[in-house]
C-alpha cells in the first residue's frame, strides 16, 4: 500500500455465512469511530458455503474490508499467520468472526498500546460463563500446562484476541516456525505487554469450528512445538517400567525360593501389558517430534493464497 494504515484487524473466516454479516454490522461502526486509518483483513480459509460471496459483497460496500482467500482449507492458525504476515498496519489486532470476543475492546487495546508504548496487548477472558462445563475445565487445564512451559509471561485465559505492534509482527515473521502456536509464541517474545479483560460471549450464530479433536491437536502442537518435556517424560516412563520389571523379578525369585510358584499368568500378563504400553507411548512421542522434523525438512508452505484483493487493487488501480 502507498500509505500504510495505522490499524489492521485480522479475521480468520471459515464457513461463517450466518455470523459474518452480524460481525461486520457490529465491527464497522467501532472502527469508523476510531478516527484513524484502518483495514480489515478477512482471511477465507477455504470456505465451502456462501461465505466467499458474502465477503465479496462486503468488500464492495466497505472499501477497508480486504479479502485474502486460501486455495484450500489450511486451518485456523494458518489463516491467522497469513493475516498477520500480510497486514499493513502499524498495529495488528486478531479477532475471530463469531463475536465471542467483543470488538468493542479494540479501541481500548489501541489506546493502551499507544499511551504506554506497549508492543502486545492481550485480550484476557475474565468470565467464560457462556462456555460449557467441559470447555471451561479443559481450557483451564490447557492454560495451566502452557504456563508451566512458557512461564508467567503467558497470561491466563488469553486466546488469539490480541493487539501486536509492527515490531512484534516483524519479530513473528522472522521466526522460522512451521506450525506456529501464537498463544505461546507471542508471550515468548517478551515484548512489553498489557491486558484488557472482557467477558466472553456466546457465539453469535452457527456452530463451533473447534471441536474436541481440534482442541486436542492444538494442545499437542503447543507442547511439542515449544518443549522437549514429552521426550523427558518418555525417559522417566522407561525408567519406571525398568524398576517395575526389577520388582517383578524379585517377587518371582522370592516366590520360587519359598516354593509358592503357582502359575502366575495374571502377573505376567499385566507386566507385559504395562511394558508394551510404555513402549508404545514412548514411540508415539518420538513419532510426533520426528514428524515435525520431517515437515520442517520438506519446507512445504502451510497455506497457499489464491487471491488478495489488495494485490488486485494495486495491479488494476482503484477505478476512481
Amino acid at each position: 500500500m502507498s500509505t500504510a494504515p495505522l490499524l489492521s484487524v485480522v479475521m480468520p473466516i471459515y464457513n461463517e455465512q450466518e455470523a459474518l454479516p452480524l460481525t461486520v454490522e457490529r465491527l464497522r461502526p467501532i472502527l469508523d469511530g476510531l478516527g484513524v486509518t484502518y483495514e480489515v483483513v478477512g482471511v477465507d480459509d477455504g470456505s465451502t458455503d456462501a461465505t466467499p460471496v458474502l465477503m465479496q459483497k462486503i468488500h464492495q460496500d466497505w472499501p477497508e474490508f480486504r479479502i485474502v482467500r486460501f486455495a484450500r482449507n489450511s486451518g485456523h492458525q494458518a489463516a491467522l499467520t497469513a493475516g498477520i504476515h500480510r497486514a499493513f498496519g502499524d498495529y495488528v489486532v486478531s479477532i475471530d468472526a463469531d463475536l465471542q470476543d467483543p470488538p468493542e475492546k479494540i479501541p481500548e487495546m489501541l489506546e493502551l498500546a499507544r499511551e504506554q508504548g506497549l508492543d502486545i496487548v492481550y485480550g484476557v477472558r475474565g468470565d467464560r460463563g457462556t462456555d460449557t462445563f467441559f470447555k471451561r475445565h479443559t481450557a483451564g487445564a490447557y492454560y495451566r500446562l502452557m504456563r508451566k512451559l512458557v512461564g508467567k509471561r503467558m497470561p491466563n485465559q488469553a486466546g488469539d484476541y490480541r493487539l501486536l505492534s509492527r515490531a512484534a509482527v516483524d519479530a513473528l515473521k522472522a521466526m522460522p516456525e512451521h506450525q506456529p502456536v501464537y498463544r505461546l509464541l507471542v508471550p515468548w517474545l517478551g515484548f512489553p505487554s498489557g491486558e484488557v479483560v472482557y467477558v466472553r460471549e456466546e457465539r453469535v450464530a452457527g456452530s463451533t469450528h473447534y471441536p474436541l479433536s481440534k482442541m486436542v491437536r492444538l494442545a499437542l502442537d503447543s507442547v511439542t512445538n515449544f518443549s522437549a518435556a514429552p521426550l523427558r517424560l518418555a525417559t522417566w516412563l522407561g525408567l519406571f517400567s525398568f524398576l517395575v520389571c526389577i520388582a517383578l523379578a524379585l517377587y518371582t525369585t522370592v516366590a520360587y525360593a519359598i516354593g509358592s510358584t503357582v502359575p502366575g499368568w495374571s502377573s505376567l500378563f499385566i507386566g507385559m501389558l504395562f511394558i508394551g504400553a510404555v513402549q508404545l507411548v514412548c514411540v508415539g512421542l518420538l513419532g510426533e517430534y520426528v514428524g515435525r522434523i520431517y515437515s520442517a525438512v520438506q519446507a512445504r508452505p502451510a497455506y497457499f493464497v489464491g487471491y488478495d484483493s489488495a494485490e488486485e487493487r494495486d495491479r488494476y488501480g482503484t477505478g476512481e
Side-chain angles (χ1 to χ4, degrees), residues 69-310:
R69 184 173 299 126
F70 282 178
R72 61 175 179 82
N73 177 255
S74 301
H76 181 270
Q77 292 297 304
L80 194 58
T81 299
I84 292 174
H85 285 202
R86 287 176 168 257
F88 296 125
D90 295 332
Y91 294 94
V92 179
V93 173
S94 56
I95 186 172
D96 289 337
D98 55 12
L99 287 181
Q100 286 192 285
D101 302 326
E104 287 80 7
K105 289 294 180 177
I106 293 178
E108 186 177 345
M109 287 180 168
L110 182 60
E111 181 180 4
L112 184 64
R114 299 178 75 181
E115 286 185 352
Q116 300 187 15
L118 302 177
D119 289 302
I120 305 168
V121 178
Y122 299 99
V124 177
R125 300 158 183 172
D127 182 3
R128 302 189 64 143
T130 58
D131 290 340
T132 63
F133 176 86
F134 177 78
K135 182 69 175 293
R136 287 197 303 271
H137 284 75
T138 53
Y142 171 82
Y143 285 109
R144 285 192 295 271
L145 175 61
M146 294 307 108
R147 282 170 69 87
K148 287 186 177 296
L149 295 179
V150 183
K152 295 183 178 180
R153 295 190 304 270
M154 178 181 179
N156 193 24
Q157 300 296 332
D160 287 321
Y161 186 27
R162 69 178 71 84
L163 176 143
L164 302 170
S165 70
R166 175 50 52 183
V169 169
D170 290 341
L172 289 175
K173 291 170 68 175
M175 299 288 287
E177 297 284 328
H178 183 67
Q179 295 175 318
V181 179
Y182 290 105
R183 300 184 188 197
L184 303 183
L185 199 56
V186 172
W188 180 86
L189 294 176
F191 285 13
S193 63
E195 298 180 4
V196 168
V197 181
Y198 66 95
V199 177
R200 187 165 172 81
E201 303 177 9
E202 293 184 0
R203 180 177 245 280
V204 67
S207 57
T208 180
H209 300 307
Y210 245 84
L212 177 60
S213 59
K214 288 190 176 181
M215 289 192 293
V216 171
R217 171 52 59 183
L218 175 64
L220 188 60
D221 287 342
S222 299
V223 173
T224 53
N225 282 7
F226 216 83
S227 174
L231 293 177
R232 289 190 288 270
L233 175 63
T235 302
W236 285 106
L237 285 173
L239 178 61
F240 179 67
S241 64
F242 176 72
L243 295 176
V244 170
C245 289
I246 291 178
L248 288 174
L250 291 175
Y251 168 76
T252 303
T253 303
V254 171
Y256 178 79
I258 63 177
S260 59
T261 53
V262 178
W265 66 269
S266 57
S267 60
L268 179 62
F269 183 67
I270 293 173
M272 291 179 63
L273 283 179
F274 176 77
I275 295 172
V278 170
Q279 289 176 335
L280 288 175
V281 169
C282 296
V283 171
L285 292 174
L286 290 172
E288 286 291 335
Y289 284 92
V290 172
R292 279 157 175 74
I293 294 172
Y294 177 65
S295 297
V297 170
Q298 285 181 314
R300 292 176 181 172
Y303 57 86
F304 287 100
V305 174
Y307 171 79
D308 187 336
S309 59

